[in-house]
Structure formats: C-alpha cells, structure tokens
C-alpha cells in the first residue's frame, strides 16, 4: 500500500463525526470569549498524539494552542483554525440543540459546526492520520488553534507577534472545499451628527441631528453606486452599508444627536485608511455647504483585504489535493468575508489559502450545520496537502 493510501485509510467517517460533535458540544461563544474549555480539550488531544504543544493565554482565559508535528527537513506548513463561534442568539429560532451535535441526513448541527469546528476537526484528524500511517514528512506541520477570530482577531495577531512562521498556511474557514486565494477586508465606522436640542413646537430654535444624518445616509447610498464599479475577479465588488441608526430621546424634542454604523467592505487593492479618507471627504463636502453640520467619526474595526498569486506552491498543492479527493480541479476562488488570512499574508508574509468544509451561507445562522462528508473529505484533503507540499519518504 502506498504512503498516500496508508494515510487516507486512517480517516474514517465515524471518527471525524465524533470529534466534530465533541467540539460542537463545548460552547465557545464570542462574545463573551469563553474559549478556554475547548482549548483545553484540543491541548489534550494534541498531547495524546505526541505533538510538541505550546499553550498560552492571549488574554485572561483565552488560550491559543499550537501543536507541531516534527518532520525531517526545514520546510513547514501551518494549518490555522479558530475555536470561537458567534453567539447562539435566540434559541427559539433553533429546531436543534445548538450544542447537541445532532446528525440528521448526513448533516451535523450545532453552533460552530461549519464556522469552523468542522474544519478544526478535519485538521486534527488529518494530523492524526499522518502520525498513524507512519509516513515520514520532509518538513514540519503546525496546527495553530486560535481565539477571537469572530471579533478582534486577537489569537492570530498573537501568533504573528510571537514569531510563529511557516512557509505556507491553510485556514479552514468554510469554503465548500474551494481553494480561496483572496478575501475582502472591512472598515467599520461609527458616525455621529451633533445637533441642538429644542422643543418640537419650535424646531427652528434647534438643529435636528437626524436631518443632518439623513444627508449622510443618502451620500452613502450614492457612494455604493460608485463602489459597484470597483470589482475584483474573485471576491466581487467593494461595498458600503449603513447597518444601524439611533437618534433622539422623545418625539416632542428636536434630537441633538444621531449615530449610525457604517460597514465598508474592501477588495484586494484597497486599504482601510484610504477608504476612511474617502468617507471623511464626503462628510467634509456636506459640512462645507451647511454651517450647522457637525459630526464625529470613530473607527470601530478595520482589517485590510489580502490576496496571493495562484502560482504559489501552496495553491498548487491545494488544488491537486482537492482534485485527488473530489475528482475535479477546483481552480481558484475568492472568500467574500474576512478572516485571519490578512494577518498571515500582510503581516507575516506567509502565502495562505482559505480552504474548508461547510458553506458560509450556514455560518452565523440558526440550525447551523456542516455536511459530515465534507468534513471527511476535508481531512483527506488536508493530509494530502501536507504530503504534497512538504514531501515525504
């Protein structure tokens, strides 16, 4: 039996499903950011496999777990997965227990099943299969299991700052096993208009902050029309959206404050600082024609997009691995959301691919699920990526 067949023979559906279910059954919602229990579980799993394990807290109660499988050479490959999930939300909208891990019609249900405990389980099983097969890799495999991807990216920021590096990386976000080499970034702003309160029976004595904000909302709609002309072949168009609005205290008062949140999605080639300048220029133009127009802008979150060449070795290894398991070359795609790829590519200069089981359409939804077969296939694909990228004896 060849080394490849030996590795793949250790990947069994029951084993994959059981591990995914165990991970889903451990709540790790963010906020509040309670990843410690699932991190301890993963550390135990890594130690049982005999990996070199680094376990440390990025902040109190929020540990990263880094496991390394040593190979014979100097080359290295990082698998990256996050432990946190978005909150369950209102359980009345769930027909399945969000922490039950029920399997029905080949689908495993639960919060984080697709984003991304299925991908994490597949990575652990892939490394286990490499060990159990006895194959000798010509390089190291690192599994970086991190916190806080869903909010502040604290976990992967920390591994970059601590100097963890590899020659390439694969992030297991849900891509339906497509090979994604680019993703969008985001700029999130809080914009407030400052008015003057007055009794609503004499509105001319005040300055209505909601009226001023209406001008901004219309300007954002016009900006969206212009952004529709900025496209990227893999991730689609740039965009802007006003997501929330609050203003006023009482119906018979002229409101002296109104606040919106703005979500500006960035495509490769754009930068968050330039996008903010573009929005601030719009606000300055509105102010220039209205002496009563006063506003403030605060950045809530920003991260830049990233992209790598389809000629990178890791891209070729991923495509070959997917083709070997799925029977067709997937080509290259883009990931429409954001993830930790930008930190690995932009900050650490690590060529990185996003590739994982599950659909982004299922993420952050009630009755989130992942197809068990996709998790099994992902485990096979990850093990083949390691063999192809690092080489083996």
């Amino acid at each position: 039996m060849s080394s490849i067949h030996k590795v793949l023979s250790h990947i069994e559906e029951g084993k994959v499903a059981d591990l995914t279910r165990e991970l889903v059954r451990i709540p790790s919602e963010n906020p509040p950011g309670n990843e410690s229990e699932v991190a301890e579980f993963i550390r135990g799993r890594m130690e049982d496999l005999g990996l070199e394990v680094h376990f440390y807290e990025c902040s109190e109660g929020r540990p990263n777990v880094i496991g390394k499988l040593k190979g014979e050479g100097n080359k290295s490959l990082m698998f990256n997965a996050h432990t946190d999930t978005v909150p369950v939300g209102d359980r009345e909208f769930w027909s399945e227990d969000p922490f039950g891990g029920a399997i029905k019609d080949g689908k495993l249900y639960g919060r984080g099943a697709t984003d991304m405990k299925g991908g994490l389980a597949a990575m652990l099983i892939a490394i286990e299969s490499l060990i159990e097969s006895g194959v000798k890799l010509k390089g190291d495999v690192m599994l970086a299991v991190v916190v806080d991807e869903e909010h502040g990216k604290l976990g992967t920021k920390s591994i970059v700052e601590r100097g963890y590096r590899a020659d390439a990386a694969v992030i297991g976000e849900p891509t339906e096993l497509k090979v994604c080499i680019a993703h969008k970034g985001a700029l999130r702003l809080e914009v407030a208009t400052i008015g003057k309160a007055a009794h609503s029976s004499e509105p001319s004595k005040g300055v209505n902050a909601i009226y001023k904000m209406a001008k901004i909302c219309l300007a954002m709609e016009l900006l969206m029309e212009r952004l529709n002309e900025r496209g990227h072949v893999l991730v689609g168009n740039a965009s802007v959206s006003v997501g929330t609005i609050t203003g006023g205290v009482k119906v018979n008062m002229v409101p002296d404050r109104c606040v919106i949140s703005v979500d500006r999605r960035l495509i490769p080639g754009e930068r968050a600082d330039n996008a903010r300048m573009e929005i601030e220029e719009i606000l300055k133009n509105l102010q220039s024609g209205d002496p009563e127009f006063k506003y403030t802008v605060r950045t809530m979150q920003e991260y830049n997009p990233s992209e790598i060449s389809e000629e990178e070795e890791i891209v070729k290894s991923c495509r070959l691995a997917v083709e070997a398991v799925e029977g067709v070359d997937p080509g290259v795609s883009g990931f429409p959301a954001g993830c930790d790829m930008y930190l690995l590519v932009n900050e650490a200069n690590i060529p990185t691919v996003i590739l994982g089981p599950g659909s982004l359409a299922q993420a952050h939804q009630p009755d989130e699920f992942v197809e068990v077969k996709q998790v099994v296939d992902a485990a096979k694909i990850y093990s083949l990526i390691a063999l192809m990228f690092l080489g083996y004896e």
Side-chain angles (χ1 to χ4, degrees), residues 48 91 108 150 162 192 220 231 236 247 277 284 336 371 381 383:
D48 289 345
R91 292 202 181 201
L108 191 152
E150 297 289 0
R162 285 175 173 247
M220 292 300 101
M277 289 173 59
K284 289 176 183 177
E371 293 182 5
I381 289 165
S383 63

Side-chain angles (χ1 to χ4, degrees), residues 33-297:
N34 57 344
E35 302 101 334
S36 58
E37 185 179 353
V38 71
E40 289 284 3
F41 173 86
I42 292 161
R43 174 164 71 170
R45 190 85 179 197
M46 288 182 176
E47 289 174 346
D48 289 345
L49 291 174
L51 302 183
E52 175 187 312
V53 180
H54 301 172
F55 185 94
Y56 71 92
E57 290 188 340
C58 301
S59 63
E60 187 176 356
R62 308 192 71 183
N64 279 353
V65 194
I66 317 295
K68 184 180 288 187
L69 174 63
K70 293 289 291 182
E72 300 293 330
N74 295 321
K75 207 170 183 181
S76 58
L77 172 66
M78 177 193 297
F79 289 112
N80 178 288
H82 63 86
T83 50
D84 62 320
T85 72
V86 297
V88 166
D90 190 340
R91 292 202 181 201
E92 290 187 3
F93 294 109
W94 288 74
S95 59
E96 300 292 339
D97 180 351
F99 300 116
I103 298 177
K104 294 183 178 180
D105 299 323
K107 299 173 182 177
L108 191 152
Y109 289 85
R111 177 53 84 221
T114 196
D115 186 16
M116 57 167 286
K117 290 181 176 179
L120 171 55
M123 289 175 172
L124 281 164
I125 293 293
I127 292 173
E128 181 180 275
S129 71
L130 290 167
I131 294 169
E132 291 179 347
S133 72
V135 68
K136 294 183 179 179
L137 294 171
K138 294 183 178 180
D140 299 341
V141 177
M142 179 194 308
L143 175 54
V145 184
V146 300
V147 300
D148 198 40
E149 188 278 337
E150 297 289 0
H151 183 62
K153 317 297 185 187
L154 179 65
T156 297
K157 280 181 184 175
S158 175
I159 66 169
V160 170
E161 289 169 356
R162 285 175 173 247
Y164 288 98
R165 293 294 185 271
D167 294 302
V170 177
I171 296 178
E173 295 283 3
T175 69
E176 298 180 274
L177 304 181
K178 295 176 182 175
V179 177
C180 295
I181 64 171
H183 73 89
K184 288 184 178 180
L187 169 68
R188 297 189 174 107
L189 303 174
E190 179 188 87
V191 182
T193 47
I194 312 302
K196 180 182 177 183
H199 196 287
S200 61
S201 66
E202 297 181 294
S204 62
K205 292 185 177 180
V207 177
N208 193 310
I210 292 177
Y211 291 167
K212 304 304 180 185
M213 186 59 76
K215 295 182 179 181
I216 296 177
C217 291
L218 290 173
M220 292 300 101
E221 188 174 14
L222 291 173
L223 174 60
M224 182 64 222
E225 292 178 8
R226 297 199 299 274
L227 293 178
N228 279 332
E229 299 174 2
R230 301 181 198 172
H232 185 276
V233 66
L234 295 178
V235 301
N237 292 342
S239 63
V240 66
S241 174
V242 175
T244 64
I245 183 167
T246 59
V249 176
K250 198 176 179 185
V251 68
N252 62 348
M253 293 175 62
V254 173
D256 61 359
R257 181 175 173 83
C258 187
V259 182
I260 61 171
S261 59
V262 178
D263 186 306
R264 170 75 161 85
R265 294 298 169 126
L266 312 164
I267 60 175
E270 293 188 309
R271 289 186 54 83
D273 52 358
N274 292 332
R276 175 171 171 140
M277 289 173 59
E278 183 177 34
I279 290 174
E280 288 186 332
E281 188 65 28
I282 290 170
L283 298 177
K284 289 176 183 177
N285 288 337
L286 290 172
Q287 187 179 54
S288 67
D290 182 353
E292 293 184 332
F293 188 96
K294 297 179 181 179
Y295 67 90
T296 62
V297 182

